[in-house]
Amino acid sequence: NGGGNPFRNALATLADRDELSMMAHSLPFSHVVAVLGRNIHIELHATLLYHALLLNPSFRDALCRPVLPLLEAIYMHTLSPPRLYTLLAVLLHLSENPLVVQTLHQAQDHQTWYQERYLCDLSAASVGVLVLCRVLKANLSVLHDSLVQSMAMALLWNVIQFAKNLHPTATQSLVKLLAHAAKKEQLLRPSPDEAAAYLATARDLLLCIQLGCTPRLLPANAQLMYSLLHASDVLNGLAMHPSEALRDDIAMVLGTVAYCRAMVDQGDDEGDGDDDGRMHDLTMEQVLERIQGGCKALAHSETVRHTTDLAWSADKMVLSSG
């Protein structure tokens, strides 16, 4: 019990000098955030930030800037579970604040630290999707850590809660991870215990994608639909999965994708698409324009099921059951 710890008490009662300049026990939170953000890769700074978030709820209001440094640190320490726990926990606490997540979807930037590809003009949320998908894939293949899995998936859910114009690289990463989980689960299906983690991941990813298909988010997520159209084989394979629960999870996604495909093919006598999701005779801009129109129309219909808004916290980190 840390109730008598003076350092914890001081951290819990610390006021923001930016807002309350006359308070004696205060610091400018903007400066604290700037310093911690620059050094978040140092374990002490990450731990201090975690405890500040945990003990001082008002501290969260100043915290948007550390997110990209946090994502970079998570990227660097993906295969180092002790460090990864703290970094994911900090980001999870931040993502419980809707204002923080909404800001992530608005800011555009370029990142030089992501080695797999050059990231230019991506929102912080799109970078987050990329990094979290990378963590989830590494966890499935190497770490096999249930806590990492739960926190990363909960973070992905919180980010998708306010998904807006995700970058194509981010939506492709999401769909590729789904394809990877589906393929591995099928290969391991004769050994249910080994296949279980991949099945759970596929279901959780489908729930995140399903969230992006809800009326509130659909008009701003044409790029997600475009990526799903290109993954028709994966989706059709999952539609035939022996698990009834998974088939239920994918039903709404399949309906939304089918509607968008119909909008793309509409008015073309010879057909612009094929079973592989490639639209031959249209430019990408034309396809996206038609998908966008379909998303807006579908968002106003009653055929898309609503999903209740819910930010996942450290206390509720399992998205699917069974």
Side-chain angles (χ1 to χ4, degrees), residues 9-183:
N9 292 338
L11 195 57
T13 57
L14 188 65
D16 186 1
R17 191 173 296 171
D18 293 331
E19 300 292 334
L20 302 167
S21 58
M22 302 303 293
M23 293 286 291
H25 181 52
S26 63
L27 285 172
F29 282 0
S30 59
H31 292 182
V32 175
V33 168
V35 172
L36 292 177
R38 286 197 302 269
N39 299 282
I40 201 67
H41 59 282
I42 300 173
E43 188 171 6
L44 177 62
H45 288 247
T47 304
L48 178 59
L49 181 57
Y50 172 77
H51 283 93
L53 285 168
L54 199 63
L55 299 172
N56 193 331
S58 63
F59 191 68
R60 296 181 193 178
D61 296 337
L63 294 181
C64 287
R65 269 183 289 176
V67 170
L68 281 170
L70 266 171
L71 290 172
E72 181 179 0
I74 290 170
Y75 177 85
M76 292 169 54
H77 297 288
T78 295
L79 297 178
S80 305
R83 298 288 298 277
L84 192 57
Y85 293 153
T86 303
L87 295 167
L88 288 174
V90 170
L91 195 55
L92 183 57
H93 279 292
L94 285 175
S95 73
E96 294 171 24
N97 185 340
L99 293 177
V100 171
V101 182
Q102 288 172 335
T103 301
L104 300 184
H105 285 282
Q106 296 167 1
Q108 300 286 328
D109 206 345
H110 67 277
Q111 311 302 324
T112 58
W113 46 264
Y114 196 88
Q115 297 179 3
E116 281 79 356
R117 62 172 64 202
Y118 179 67
L119 302 183
C120 182
D121 297 328
L122 271 74
S123 67
S126 292
V127 177
V129 170
L130 277 172
V131 171
L132 291 170
C133 286
R134 184 175 182 269
V135 168
L136 287 164
K137 186 173 182 180
N139 190 60
L140 285 171
S141 304
V142 181
L143 299 177
H144 310 294
D145 190 305
S146 60
L147 183 57
V148 169
Q149 180 78 11
S150 295
M151 286 196 289
M153 194 62 75
L155 273 164
L156 189 59
W157 174 272
N158 286 354
V159 171
I160 299 295
Q161 279 268 1
F162 299 95
K164 183 178 181 181
N165 300 322
L166 288 172
H167 194 273
T169 306
T171 60
Q172 290 164 16
S173 178
L174 193 63
V175 173
K176 285 179 180 178
L177 180 59
L178 176 63
H180 172 73
K183 181 178 179 180

Side-chain angles (χ1 to χ4, degrees), residues 163-225:
K164 183 178 181 181
N165 300 322
L166 288 172
H167 194 273
T169 306
T171 60
Q172 290 164 16
S173 178
L174 193 63
V175 173
K176 285 179 180 178
L177 180 59
L178 176 63
H180 172 73
K183 181 178 179 180
K184 292 291 290 185
E185 189 275 336
Q186 184 177 20
L187 290 172
L188 295 171
R189 202 172 294 165
S191 304
D193 290 343
E194 295 181 39
Y198 292 96
L199 177 60
T201 298
R203 289 196 61 196
D204 288 342
L205 288 170
L206 283 172
L207 290 176
C208 288
I209 292 170
Q210 186 183 105
L211 180 61
C213 296
T214 54
R216 178 174 60 84
L217 298 177
L218 192 58
N221 284 292
Q223 191 63 60
L224 175 60
M225 295 302 107

